[in-house]
Amino acid sequence: MTADVRDIPLSTTGELQAVVGNVGAVPGQDWVIVTRGITRDYDMGGEVVRALRGVDLAVRRNEYVAIMGPSGSGKSTLMNLVGCLDTPTSGENWLNGSLGSDMKDDALARVRNREIGFVFQTFNLLPRATALHNVELPLVYAGVGSAERKKRAVEALERVQLKDRMDHRPNELSGGQRQRVAIARALVKQPAILLADEPTGNLDSATSEEIMRVFEELAAAGQTVIMVTHESEIAAHARRVVVLRDGRISSDERREHFVKRLEK
Amino acid sequence: MKILDRLKMLSEGVVIAFDSIRVNKVRAALTILGIAVGVFVVTGMSATVQGINSGVSASLAAAGPTTFFVTRWPAAINSCNGSADSCPWRHNEPLSLDDAHVILRQPGIQSVIVHVGSSAQVKYRGNNLPSARVDAYTADWTEVNGGDMAAGRNFTQGENTDASAVVVINVALRKQLFPDLENAQAIGKEIMIGANPFRVIGIWDQTGSLFDDADEPKATVPFEAAYRKLRFGIRWLDLTVKPRDGVPQDVAMDQAIAALRVRRQLKPAQDNTFFVSTPEKVMELYNDIVGKFFSFMIGLSAIGLMVGGVGVIAIMMISVTERTREIGVRKALGATRGTILWQFLVEAATLTMIGAVAGLVVGGALTYVIRANTSIKASIPPLAIVVALAAAALTGILFGLFPAYRAARLDPVEALRYE
Ligand SMILES: Nc1ncnc2c1ncn2[C@@H]1O[C@H](COP(=O)(O)OP(=O)(O)OP(=O)(O)O)[C@@H](O)[C@H]1O
Ligand SMILES: [Mg+2]
């Protein structure tokens, strides 16, 4: 056996370079996320903040990716673009065959509803709604009937072991439980991708581990997951780690390689 | 989203609306109050006007289509402070029985009903009404008053000329004088009007009208009997003139006017010293007053709705700001601009509809009080309810549009970052 394939930096693999470099072409079925040279500038009253300076990223179905980097490196900005919450200043971003960079507001909303499940650092549950109703929301916007909605929401809550808390409001739940409700809400429409921005940022380490186990299970069951974190212990749960620095990808490697480098 | 889904979201919007009312009590109260005042004014007032209208129409319909009135005073409700300028008609010669006879002799005239109203003590054994209304009429009075004989008969022309001591009482008076008797059993009984015995010959089942409350006890006696036996003053006679069938009203009126002018020896340049008016003219006058009244109340309710509208803007702006993050979440989960707009419009409309319902309840209560305590048969026209609710919803939507539009246009990333 020659050099372990797991040691080779991912971004240099020919396959990945091919799909990223083929500007304008619709990516193959296998690629849920493809960004080609995306930039994002924020105009702060004359001064331009260049949050992303050309990011090439390609993610296959069933991958479990962590995005790392120091504060201000552009992780959240990249997540927002990948999740079609925002459009890039230049470059193209594809989400499961749809070209997000070309879309207007309402089209983006529909793509988000169809393809993405978001999990936020601050949970972002509707405070006045029950867990069940929170989980039902994406189905409401998809126009699913109420009986079907309830059935699917209960199933999603079952997956995160919170079925018995479905009539509770967020303020009656612990932080970990709230985040699990948010995960159930993200999963309820079986999205192409689960996008999580610092999902453990507001949780203690024990609860963080609990949430990571949920992610682990989902990934094992074939769910594509992209997760932003600045903690390497959390990132080490993913199978691929992308590191951002100053709005660019500085490394993109397998977990084993990342962990090995970490131990040095 | 399909229309059906939007309707499903209605309930959610309504719940959220109640929630923001709980949170913004003072502003919500002000908004609801404004809308309620607007709606209350519309419903309460239109109920009253409706009641007055039906009363007026009933009075006029009873008189017959070509009937007209001859009076000493004008039909217009004018202020008379006693000076000669403010009411020149005070110098008019009173109408007399001879005037009535002159008019009756004209070829186009069928009948002239002479009337004078007064009040007197009316009594039957222990049942005593110290001051009941007593109307004196010539025999044809039943033709120009709404109602029917419930029992017995009206007095005849002969009984009038003879000044017979007979009386027709209305059902209300019968109940007072003969509480234990049926209408028919009261016929033939002798009652006292002032110091004079009168025999009851008929019970009049009166159709009430605004000017003539059916619940007011009332006796009707032959004109001559009132004049000679009860000593009624006759300086305030009024004449109701009924033209013959087929004679147009204006022709009959011209005949009556010409006859009276000749009798009073008026020169061509002189004005009439009496007034002739038609039910239409009375109606016109009345409509004029009602019209002014209506414009006033529409102005008032518009102010109410404006106050409510400004309240809606304030509450909704606060609601949008407070829930910026929530809007971001909803957008992240797939809510389109239209969905968010709809959600906030439902909320605004709910707010104003609560005001409308409050206004309707108060307006309804007022209507009930008016019905129970006056002769105005006030009732809220169903259309007024619909209009009030629609106006309130429209106010909510109109004034809610700006805040809702702002919410709909929020950038999801910005909204999610909002602290
Ligand atoms: N809406 C905005 N307006 C202006 N500048 C912004 C905006 N959002 C992000 N930025 C800037 O873009 C850069 C990248 O921000 P971003 O939030 O993507 O960083 P991050 O890697 O997620 O950081 P953190 O770990 O602190 O969350 C920063 O310099 C930030 O100040
Ligand atoms: Mg961030």
Side-chain angles (χ1 to χ4, degrees):
Chain A
M1 210 187 208
T2 54
D4 190 339
V5 283
R6 286 173 295 193
D7 288 343
I8 301 166
L10 265 174
S11 50
T12 60
T13 58
E15 214 183 350
L16 214 128
Q17 288 207 319
V19 70
V20 163
N22 201 355
V23 175
V26 184
Q29 288 269 313
D30 219 23
W31 302 95
V32 265
I33 294 290
V34 174
T35 70
R36 290 173 178 143
I38 51 170
T39 68
R40 181 66 168 98
D41 298 343
Y42 291 107
D43 193 348
M44 299 297 288
E47 197 201 339
V48 176
V49 178
R50 302 182 64 195
L52 291 183
R53 301 164 186 241
V55 172
D56 296 329
L57 180 70
V59 176
R60 260 191 247 261
R61 216 169 286 284
N62 304 345
E63 277 198 274
Y64 181 6
V65 184
I67 296 177
M68 282 204 68
S71 183
S73 56
K75 305 183 294 290
S76 295
T77 306
L78 178 61
M79 284 298 264
N80 293 339
L81 291 172
V82 162
C84 286
L85 278 168
D86 195 9
T87 47
T89 308
S90 68
E92 51 185 64
N93 67 299
W94 293 86
L95 171 58
N96 210 14
S98 308
L99 185 56
S101 44
D102 254 15
M103 288 181 187
K104 293 263 171 288
D105 244 37
D106 281 358
L108 288 169
R110 280 187 276 271
V111 168
R112 289 195 293 268
N113 184 253
R114 196 173 61 230
E115 309 285 1
I116 311 273
F118 287 101
V119 175
F120 303 95
Q121 175 173 354
T122 51
F123 322 134
N124 278 337
L125 299 174
L126 301 195
R128 290 182 270 257
T130 61
L132 181 71
H133 186 75
N134 266 292
V135 176
E136 277 185 59
L137 263 185
L139 300 170
V140 170
Y141 293 127
V144 177
S146 65
E148 169 77 5
R149 224 158 54 202
K150 177 156 188 204
K151 186 178 136 258
R152 285 168 66 177
V154 170
E155 279 168 14
L157 280 166
E158 232 164 2
R159 277 182 85 177
V160 295
Q161 279 106 47
L162 273 180
K163 192 187 167 194
D164 54 331
R165 296 292 156 89
M166 67 184 188
D167 293 323
H168 290 230
R169 286 169 186 239
N171 62 2
E172 299 159 349
L173 298 172
S174 73
Q177 287 172 329
R178 284 182 213 184
Q179 196 58 303
R180 269 149 59 197
V181 172
I183 294 169
R185 180 176 70 184
L187 292 175
V188 73
K189 279 197 81 238
Q190 287 145 354
I193 312 175
L194 183 71
L195 279 185
D197 192 349
E198 310 261 14
T200 60
N202 276 21
L203 302 173
D204 59 52
S205 55
T207 317
S208 296
E209 280 306 316
E210 172 194 319
I211 295 298
M212 281 306 105
R213 272 199 300 281
V214 176
F215 274 43
E216 204 83 61
E217 277 166 33
L218 293 172
Q223 174 69 53
T224 312
V225 180
I226 303 181
M227 162 179 82
V228 166
T229 180
H230 56 255
E231 295 171 72
S232 13
E233 307 90 83
I234 296 295
H237 286 90
R239 294 182 209 131
R240 173 180 166 192
V241 180
V242 175
V243 179
L244 283 185
R245 210 169 290 276
D246 293 332
R248 286 197 183 86
I249 293 181
S250 71
S251 77
D252 182 351
E253 52 200 355
R254 290 181 209 284
R255 189 234 322 255
E256 295 79 357
H257 194 255
F258 171 76
V259 172
K260 202 179 283 176
R261 207 155 48 85
L262 212 61
E263 281 160 0
K264 279 182 198 159
Chain B
M1 268 201 337
K2 288 179 258 42
I3 298 293
L4 200 70
D5 302 319
R6 301 220 156 168
L7 289 179
K8 277 184 207 151
M9 281 180 63
L10 254 177
S11 62
E12 193 183 353
V14 172
V15 170
I16 291 173
F18 275 99
D19 237 56
S20 34
I21 289 163
R22 235 190 354 254
V23 176
N24 303 295
K25 282 195 189 72
V26 176
R27 275 175 290 249
L30 213 66
T31 302
I32 290 170
L33 188 75
I35 302 287
V37 166
V39 167
F40 161 72
V41 169
V42 172
T43 52
M45 297 304 152
S46 62
T48 311
V49 168
Q50 169 104 344
I52 294 175
N53 258 337
S54 64
V56 170
S57 312
S59 317
L60 297 179
T66 59
T67 301
F68 59 92
F69 311 112
V70 180
T71 47
R72 182 183 170 192
W73 58 90
I77 302 147
N78 59 356
S79 57
C80 185
N81 57 24
S83 77
D85 284 348
S86 72
C87 41
W89 53 269
R90 272 179 162 262
H91 301 295
N92 285 351
E93 187 187 324
L95 288 164
S96 67
L97 279 176
D98 288 340
D99 289 332
H101 284 130
V102 165
I103 295 171
L104 186 58
R105 275 202 295 275
Q106 301 310 305
I109 307 298
Q110 159 106 45
S111 56
V112 178
I113 296 110
V114 184
H115 166 250
V116 66
S118 186
S119 59
Q121 185 191 38
V122 176
K123 191 163 82 166
Y124 177 75
R125 294 191 185 150
N127 299 323
N128 179 18
L129 283 81
S131 177
R133 182 163 150 201
V134 179
D135 281 305
Y137 273 112
T138 48
D140 303 331
W141 67 277
T142 50
E143 288 176 28
V144 293
N145 278 278
D148 267 315
M149 277 300 164
R153 60 175 182 85
N154 187 18
F155 49 83
T156 63
Q157 194 73 53
E159 282 167 323
N160 183 38
T161 9
D162 295 350
S164 298
V166 291
V167 61
V168 175
I169 62 176
N170 71 351
V171 174
L173 182 56
R174 194 275 300 156
K175 285 181 184 156
Q176 299 267 330
L177 294 180
F178 310 104
D180 306 325
L181 299 186
E182 297 290 316
N183 284 338
Q185 293 171 312
I187 304 293
K189 296 274 188 280
E190 198 148 273
I191 64 171
M192 296 300 288
I193 300 179
N196 299 277
F198 274 72
R199 190 161 48 84
V200 177
I201 58 166
I203 310 293
W204 182 238
D205 188 5
Q206 181 189 352
T207 320
S209 72
L210 181 68
F211 306 127
D212 202 355
D213 189 354
D215 297 332
E216 184 190 359
K218 201 168 71 178
T220 305
V221 296
F223 185 84
E224 290 297 335
Y227 179 46
R228 289 191 234 157
K229 295 208 163 73
L230 300 176
R231 301 280 161 209
F232 272 24
I234 53 167
R235 292 179 64 79
W236 295 96
L237 292 189
D238 61 81
L239 310 179
T240 305
V241 183
K242 214 177 151 97
R244 282 184 198 286
D245 283 349
V247 176
Q249 189 183 49
D250 50 345
V251 172
M253 269 165 77
D254 284 346
Q255 290 178 0
I257 291 167
L260 276 184
R261 286 184 69 92
V262 168
R263 194 184 123 66
R264 297 189 168 190
Q265 298 175 332
L266 299 178
K267 300 196 179 75
Q270 273 179 288
D271 286 336
N272 289 343
T273 55
F274 52 89
F275 290 88
V276 177
S277 56
T278 61
E280 288 80 49
K281 206 164 147 197
V282 174
M283 195 75 198
E284 252 169 50
L285 259 157
Y286 165 78
N287 279 341
D288 186 47
I289 295 165
V290 167
K292 285 188 183 122
F293 190 51
F294 250 116
S295 335
F296 172 72
M297 66 187 236
I298 283 172
L300 210 63
S301 49
I303 292 170
L305 292 179
M306 286 295 284
V307 170
V310 172
V312 167
I313 295 188
I315 287 197
M316 293 309 293
M317 288 308 274
I318 291 164
S319 178
V320 169
T321 309
E322 272 174 356
R323 281 153 58 209
T324 300
R325 221 166 213 283
E326 176 193 320
I327 295 163
V329 173
R330 287 177 183 273
K331 287 200 143 192
L333 299 182
T336 56
R337 287 186 178 191
T339 317
I340 300 289
L341 191 79
W342 172 252
Q343 178 193 327
F344 280 92
L345 287 184
V346 166
E347 191 177 323
T350 302
L351 206 62
T352 53
M353 293 295 262
I354 293 170
V357 170
L360 281 175
V361 168
V362 179
L366 178 78
T367 306
Y368 178 79
V369 169
I370 289 176
R371 275 188 86 95
N373 296 298
T374 72
S375 62
I376 299 171
K377 298 284 166 267
S379 67
I380 298 181
L383 189 67
I385 297 177
V386 175
V387 169
L389 288 175
L394 204 70
T395 306
I397 288 170
L398 212 66
F399 287 87
L401 210 53
F402 176 65
Y405 182 69
R406 269 190 53 151
R409 285 208 41 188
L410 279 178
D411 176 66
V413 175
E414 293 292 322
L416 281 168
R417 282 162 59 101
Y418 184 84
E419 293 300 325

